Amino acid sequence: MPLGGGGCQDALYERALKVADPEMAKAELFSEALKTFVRVQAAKRRAALGGEAPEMPDSQRPRGKAS
């Protein structure tokens, strides 16, 4: 399933398919990729805000199962 836009994107997609669970649906692969992208971009934005709210208390992170 070519993505279009060049061989680099197609190669990245093929690489993702190779490391994914063999039973993972392609739609689920894209969903996980988008979740990761959103998580990384949100972290970059939070990092860019560093020091702008020093009085803000640390937030508690959930200690449950990682997703």
Side-chain angles (χ1 to χ4, degrees):
M1 171 182 177
L3 297 178
C8 181
Q9 292 170 343
D10 292 340
L12 183 59
Y13 176 68
E14 290 300 322
R15 190 170 161 203
L17 287 175
K18 286 180 183 178
V19 299
D21 181 352
E23 300 194 12
M24 177 181 268
K26 291 176 183 172
E28 186 180 358
L29 176 63
F30 279 108
S31 177
E32 290 300 316
L34 289 173
K35 287 178 192 177
T36 300
F37 175 78
V38 169
R39 203 167 35 241
V40 167
Q41 294 304 311
K44 286 180 180 180
R45 289 183 181 177
R46 284 193 305 272
L49 293 172
E52 291 187 22
E55 70 283 349
M56 182 180 224
D58 289 338
S59 61
Q60 294 294 320
R61 297 187 322 194
R63 299 284 181 190
K65 183 172 88 173
S67 57

